[in-house]
Amino acid sequence: MDNGEVWEAALAQSYFLAVNATVIVPEIAVTGNSINIVSGDSTPSVDDFTDFGSQAMAAGIISRIFTVRNNGTDVLALGAISLSGGAAGDFTVITPPSATVSAGGTTTFTVRFDPSATGLRAAMLSLPSNDADENPFTFALQGNGTGAGSLDLLNAAVSSGFVTSTVMQPDGKIILGGAFSKVGGITRNNIARLNGDGSLDAGFNPDANFFLTSVVVQGDGKVVIGGQFNNVGGTPRNSIARLQVDGSVEAGYNPDVDSGINCLALQADGKIILGGLFTTVGGVTRNHLARLNADGTLDESFNPDVNDIVYGMTVQADGKILFGGQFTRVGSVPRNYIARLNADGTLDTSFNPDVNSFVSCIAQQVDGKILISGHFTAIESAPRNRIARL
C-alpha cells in the first residue's frame, strides 16, 4: 500500500469513528408566544408569556400556552410540572405536556393565572426531563392581581407635558397622543405606543411636531391622528395624518385641514368624521365638522355647517352622530352646544337638550343613554354641574 492509499484509509477510518461517535441524547427547548425561554430565566416578560399581565380578582382568568420541543436525537421524557414560590397557588397547570416527545417533535402545556390577592404574584415553574444538562428546566412566572379600583403596574412615565388621547389596539398595545416629549425617559414627540405591559414600543415613533388631540385605530390597523401639528416624521401634514401599522406616514392620505382638529370618530363604513377649529378641508369650505371618505378625500355630501368650535363627538350604533362644542347653530337651526345628526349629515330635529354652556366630551352607554361633560351648569333649566346624562 503506497502513501496515498494509507492516507485515504486513515481518512475513511476517521470519518467512520466520527459518525459512530455521535451522541444520541434528548435536548429540551421551551417557547412562549414562539419566543425561546432560557432555562433558569428569572425575568418574566409579556413577550414570551411568562408575565401574565394584570387580572382582577374573582373576575376571570388568564391562560397561556407554552411549547416544549425536542431538539435532540433521542426520545425526550418529561415529568410532572411543579410550581413553587410565595404565590405558587395562583398558577395552575391545567393541560400538562405529553410524557414523551420524539426527536424533532413538540408538545404543549397550559398555565392558568388566577390571583388570590392584589399586587405582584410570582412563582417558579419546574419541568423535569431526561435532558441531563437542563434537568429540571425552570423559569419564573408572574402576574399582577388587581381589585376594584386598585392601581395597575402600568407606568409609562410620560413627562414634559400631558396626554389628551388614548386608544387600545386589537393586539393590546396602547397609543398615546398629547403634548409630551418623553415616555419612559425616551424621546417621543406627542405620540407613542406602549406594549401591553406598559413598556415603550421602540419600533413606533411617528414624531409629530406639535400636539395631538385625538387618535383612532382603523380595522386594518392603520392609525388616524388629529391635532395642531403640521409635520409628522418629516412629512408635511396639516392637523390630520394617517399612519401605517409601523408608525410611518401614509403618503397618499392628506386631507389638508386649515386649522386644528379636536376630535375624530370612525364610522362602521371606514369614513372618518372630524371636528374642531377648521373652516376648510382640502380647500373646500367645511365649518368645524366634516367627513372624509376612506381614502382621505372629502365626503362632499356631508356639510352640517356648524357656526363655532366642535370639541367632542361619538357615533351611535345606528349611525347617528352626536357632537358637542362651543356652537349655537347647526346650519340655520339654533342648537346650544350639543346636537345630533342623522347618518346622512342632516340635523336630527328631534334631539335638542338645550345646554347652557359648552360641551367638551360625549359618550354613549350600552343602553343608549348619553353622558356629556363640559362647562355647563344647567340643561333645560335643570341644574347639572359639568356632567350629566341624557
Side-chain angles (χ1 to χ4, degrees):
M1 182 180 295
D2 61 25
N3 289 340
E5 290 173 324
V6 171
W7 178 248
E8 288 177 2
L11 282 176
Q13 185 179 20
S14 298
Y15 177 77
F16 176 81
L17 291 172
V19 169
N20 285 276
T22 300
V23 179
I24 301 175
V25 294
E27 181 60 43
I28 189 172
V30 179
T31 60
N33 194 28
S34 301
I35 297 173
N36 189 58
I37 300 170
V38 178
S39 182
D41 180 48
S42 60
T43 56
S45 168
V46 292
D47 294 333
D48 63 9
F49 286 168
T50 54
D51 184 338
F52 285 65
S54 295
Q55 176 61 51
M57 294 171 57
I61 57 175
I62 300 173
S63 295
R64 295 287 184 258
I65 299 173
F66 298 90
T67 299
V68 180
R69 177 179 292 278
N70 181 4
N71 289 332
T73 54
D74 197 6
V75 174
L76 176 68
L78 301 174
I81 295 174
S82 62
L83 293 156
S84 60
D90 291 5
F91 299 88
T92 307
V93 179
I94 57 173
T95 306
S98 300
T100 60
V101 185
S102 59
T106 62
T107 184
T108 63
F109 63 92
T110 303
V111 179
R112 181 179 68 193
F113 174 56
D114 185 4
S116 61
T118 60
L120 186 65
R121 314 297 292 163
M124 182 65 71
L125 182 145
S126 180
L127 173 58
S129 75
N130 62 338
D131 180 346
D133 61 350
E134 291 180 297
N135 180 31
F137 192 104
T138 63
F139 56 89
L141 300 174
Q142 72 177 32
N144 185 47
T146 63
S150 63
L151 184 64
D152 188 84
L153 293 178
L154 186 147
N155 184 8
V158 179
S159 60
S160 305
F162 49 86
V163 174
T164 58
S165 181
T166 60
V167 64
M168 179 79 76
Q169 294 186 168
D171 61 1
K173 292 187 176 183
I174 305 160
I175 299 176
L176 314 177
F180 51 82
S181 59
K182 287 189 177 182
V183 176
I186 299 172
T187 298
R188 283 296 183 273
N189 290 318
N190 306 307
I191 180 170
R193 186 164 64 193
L194 307 179
N195 297 309
D197 63 353
S199 62
L200 182 67
D201 181 348
F204 184 90
N205 187 15
D207 191 27
N209 74 330
F210 205 39
F211 70 85
L212 272 67
T213 53
S214 188
V215 180
V216 295
V217 178
Q218 298 182 168
D220 58 3
K222 292 181 179 180
V223 180
V224 181
I225 60 174
Q228 294 273 5
F229 52 84
N230 58 33
N231 189 289
V232 180
T235 303
R237 284 293 182 273
N238 291 322
S239 302
I240 185 169
R242 186 159 68 188
L243 309 177
Q244 306 283 3
V245 176
D246 64 359
S248 59
V249 176
E250 182 177 328
Y253 190 96
N254 189 12
D256 191 25
V257 178
D258 72 328
S259 191
I261 289 175
N262 291 328
C263 51
L264 298 169
L266 177 65
Q267 293 189 166
D269 60 2
K271 291 184 178 182
I272 297 278
I273 306 166
L274 39 148
L277 294 79
F278 59 86
T279 56
T280 67
V281 178
V284 180
T285 298
R286 283 296 182 276
N287 290 318
H288 309 294
L289 199 63
R291 185 162 64 189
L292 305 177
N293 297 309
D295 62 359
T297 57
L298 182 67
D299 180 350
E300 296 184 357
S301 69
F302 184 95
N303 187 14
D305 189 26
V306 182
N307 76 328
D308 210 334
I309 301 169
V310 172
Y311 289 126
M313 170 173 38
T314 191
V315 179
Q316 297 184 169
D318 61 3
K320 290 186 177 183
I321 303 152
L322 288 159
F323 63 100
Q326 207 165 289
F327 55 86
T328 55
R329 179 179 55 78
V330 178
S332 59
V333 181
R335 279 296 182 273
N336 290 324
Y337 311 111
I338 185 171
R340 184 163 67 188
L341 304 178
N342 298 307
D344 62 0
T346 58
L347 183 67
D348 181 350
T349 56
S350 68
F351 183 91
N352 187 16
D354 193 23
V355 182
N356 75 337
S357 189
F358 70 80
V359 172
S360 55
C361 301
I362 301 179
Q364 189 172 37
Q365 298 180 170
V366 293
D367 62 359
K369 290 183 179 182
I370 300 159
L371 289 167
I372 64 173
S373 61
H375 192 257
F376 55 84
T377 57
I379 298 176
E380 296 174 346
S381 25
R384 286 295 184 276
N385 287 323
R386 321 303 180 192
I387 186 167
R389 185 164 61 189
L390 309 177

